[in-house]
Structures are given as structure tokens and as C-alpha cells.
């Protein structure tokens, strides 16, 4: 994905501008910013759900905003921050929905689609949820199901809006480990987060948004400095070494 001097928002309302970045195969980009910084609006623009107010978003050389929805669904999988299911589909059926763009319109899912769904559930350690009604799950369990749906979609780019926000420690680790595995397999990953530590460990690149404008964008280790994180959240922060290979941010 290539983003060139992007301005994003809604008709008559600019949210952010000046975003340029490249997310190549096998690369993970973390997007950080305080509440209201424009992270979700930016992600929706990268997805082609919102048209850019200026600039361009391209994937494989094609303008994302000009792609048909079915074509976008074959190239980009999306995990929203919150989702309240209106119908009591089973978990397996929800994950199978990620396969819709893989077949003809109105086609019934085949064995390969069911297999991809079950594999995605197993990879996240939630295969036992397959027969459950998604409306009966906790918020954290539903979030894992949405991640599984994105995995089953089998796209070269996965975009996730705060994918670990409602998860407990164990499930948060499972999702982050799966994102690392996808990156190692050559996929492009974009995820937003309020956790600079997650970005430092699980992302190659980082975009720090402050009031819709890039405060820093580039290599994660270079962008995620104590000074930049302090400015981003309006809080004195120190970057502390845990051991020879790991550092964490601590409020000063």
C-alpha cells in the first residue's frame, strides 16, 4: 500500500492531512494517537470506505477508492474496533463470511471456505466457539472472531482498528503473535493502538498522529522515542530497558 500526501475526513470536515507512507509485503505499520486523533477515520480512508479529501491511496498501483467493493475485499481484510452483531449467526458462519468475495455472487460456501474458517479459528485458539451464537459471546470473544474472519479472508493486506483493546492478557498475546506470523508470511499489516509498547515490539514502522497530522512517521524504533510519545499523549514518558533486547515505555 502506498499513501501519497493524504488528507482525510468527511465532506466539509477535514480530520487530518499530510500523511505519506508505504507498507510493503512483510511489513507492519502501527498507527498511534490519542482519542480523537483521527486513527479510525484514517483507516477507513485507507480501506476505501471514505474517499480521500486530497492525495491518493494505492494498492498494487490501483487507486483504492476506485476499486469495486468485491475487488477491495479480495485485497484488504478489515477488523473493526467495535461490532454488535444484529443476528445470532454461529461463530463459524461469521468467519465464513470472510470468504464471500472469493466466489460468485450468492454462491453457497464450499468445503474450502469452511476449512479456511475452521483453520482461522484454530490458529487463534477459539475452535471450540465455532457452534456458538455470536450474540452470546463476550466482547473480547467477538473481537477474536472478527480477527479470525479477516484471516479466513486471505488477503495480502490486513487492517485492524485497535484489535487488542477489549482482550485479556492471553488473547491479546495470541492476536499479536498471529500478526507477527502473518507478517513473517509476507502479508502487509496496519493496526491502530494506544499501546506504544505493542508498536515497538510488533511493528516495523509507526505513524504517530497528533490532531490528524503526523508527529512522526518512519521506522518504529526511530519514531517511537520517549520525546515523541510524551508529546503524543501529553505525558512525561521514559523508555526503559528491560533486558538487552527489550524496552518499555514508563510514565515518568
Amino acid at each position: 500500500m502506498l499513501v501519497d500526501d493524504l488528507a482525510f475526513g468527511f465532506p466539509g470536515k477535514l480530520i487530518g492531512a499530510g500523511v505519506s507512507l508505504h507498507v510493503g509485503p512483510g511489513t507492519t505499520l502501527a498507527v498511534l494517537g490519542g482519542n480523537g486523533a483521527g486513527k479510525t477515520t484514517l483507516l477507513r480512508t485507507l480501506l476505501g470506505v471514505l474517499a480521500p479529501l486530497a492525495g491518493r491511496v494505492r494498492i498494487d498501483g490501483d487507486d483504492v477508492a476506485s476499486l469495486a467493493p468485491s475487488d477491495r475485499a479480495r485485497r484488504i481484510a478489515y477488523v473493526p474496533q467495535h461490532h454488535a452483531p444484529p443476528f445470532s449467526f454461529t461463530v463459524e458462519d461469521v468467519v465464513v463470511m470472510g470468504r464471500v468475495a472469493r466466489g460468485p455472487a450468492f454462491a453457497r460456501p464450499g468445503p474450502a471456505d469452511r476449512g479456511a474458517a475452521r483453520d482461522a479459528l484454530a490458529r487463534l485458539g477459539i475452535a471450540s466457539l465455532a457452534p456458538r451464537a455470536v450474540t452470546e459471546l463476550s466482547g473480547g470473544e467477538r473481537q477474536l472472531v472478527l480477527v479470525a474472519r479477516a484471516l479466513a479472508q486471505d488477503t495480502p493486506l490486513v487492517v485492524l482498528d485497535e484489535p487488542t483493546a477489549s482482550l485479556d492478557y492471553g488473547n491479546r498475546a495470541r492476536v499479536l503473535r498471529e500478526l507477527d506470523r502473518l507478517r513473517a508470511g509476507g502479508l502487509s499489516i496496519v493496526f491502530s493502538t494506544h499501546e506504544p509498547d505493542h508498536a515497538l515490539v510488533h511493528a516495523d514502522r509507526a505513524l504517530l498522529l497528533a490532531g490528524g497530522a503526523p508527529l512522526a512517521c518512519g521506522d518504529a524504533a526511530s519514531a517511537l522515542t520517549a520525546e515523541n510519545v510524551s508529546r503524543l499523549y501529553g505525558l512525561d514518558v521514559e523508555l526503559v530497558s528491560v533486558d538487552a533486547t527489550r524496552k518499555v515505555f514508563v510514565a515518568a
Side-chain angles (χ1 to χ4, degrees), residues 3-26:
V3 179
D4 183 24
D5 199 19
L6 182 69
F8 56 95
F10 307 92
K13 184 177 181 180
L14 178 70
I15 300 296
V19 175
S20 296
L21 53 88
H22 176 242
V23 185

Side-chain angles (χ1 to χ4, degrees), residues 30 32 200 204-208 215-229 249:
L32 298 95
L200 198 60
D204 308 286
R205 301 181 62 77
L207 167 64
L208 280 59
L215 174 65
C217 184
D219 175 80
S222 299
L224 290 164
T225 64
E227 179 183 359
N228 285 343
V229 172
F249 289 98

Side-chain angles (χ1 to χ4, degrees), residues 50 71 120 140 153 163 168 171 173 175 204-205:
L50 296 175
D71 196 0
Q153 199 169 329
D168 61 33
N171 286 326
V175 168
D204 308 286
R205 301 181 62 77

Side-chain angles (χ1 to χ4, degrees), residues 215 225-238 249:
L215 174 65
T225 64
E227 179 183 359
N228 285 343
V229 172
S230 295
R231 291 174 59 195
L232 188 67
Y233 293 108
L235 179 72
D236 288 337
V237 170
E238 295 178 357
F249 289 98

Side-chain angles (χ1 to χ4, degrees), residues 2-239:
L2 183 65
V3 179
D4 183 24
D5 199 19
L6 182 69
F8 56 95
F10 307 92
K13 184 177 181 180
L14 178 70
I15 300 296
V19 175
S20 296
L21 53 88
H22 176 242
V23 185
T27 301
T28 297
L29 169 74
V31 181
L32 298 95
N35 293 326
K39 299 187 300 297
T40 296
T41 306
L42 171 62
L43 295 189
R44 294 181 69 194
T45 307
L46 299 183
L47 291 162
V49 176
L50 296 175
L53 300 183
R56 297 181 67 187
V57 179
R58 287 175 286 179
I59 184 168
D60 296 331
D62 296 322
D63 194 316
V64 170
S66 68
L67 295 175
S70 59
D71 196 0
R72 288 203 302 267
R74 286 189 290 270
R75 303 195 197 194
I76 311 172
Y78 176 50
V79 178
Q81 184 177 353
H82 299 293
H83 177 69
F87 303 108
S88 55
F89 295 109
T90 68
V91 165
E92 183 175 316
D93 285 340
V94 170
V95 178
V96 166
M97 289 176 191
R99 304 288 297 175
V100 168
R102 294 287 165 189
F106 307 112
R108 294 177 64 86
D113 301 312
R114 293 286 175 186
R118 291 167 184 157
D119 178 65
L121 290 167
R123 281 157 57 182
L124 291 173
I126 54 172
S128 62
L129 297 181
R132 296 268 304 276
V134 71
T135 50
E136 298 175 357
L137 303 181
S138 69
E141 288 171 329
R142 284 200 302 270
Q143 189 69 9
L144 288 171
V145 171
L146 295 178
V147 174
R149 185 179 67 181
L151 298 182
Q153 199 169 329
D154 191 24
T155 59
L157 172 63
V158 182
V159 176
L160 309 97
D161 193 357
E162 296 188 32
T164 64
S166 60
L167 301 182
D168 61 33
Y169 181 82
N171 286 326
R172 187 162 60 238
R174 288 187 183 93
V175 168
L176 292 171
R177 184 174 58 214
E178 187 61 27
L179 295 185
D180 289 344
R181 196 188 73 80
L182 293 173
R183 173 178 59 178
L187 270 68
S188 303
I189 310 291
V190 177
F191 73 95
S192 64
T193 181
H194 281 298
E195 302 287 345
D197 292 333
H198 291 174
L200 198 60
V201 175
H202 300 283
D204 308 286
R205 301 181 62 77
L207 167 64
L208 280 59
L209 280 179
L215 174 65
C217 184
D219 175 80
S222 299
L224 290 164
T225 64
E227 179 183 359
N228 285 343
V229 172
S230 295
R231 291 174 59 195
L232 188 67
Y233 293 108
L235 179 72
D236 288 337
V237 170
E238 295 178 357
L239 187 56

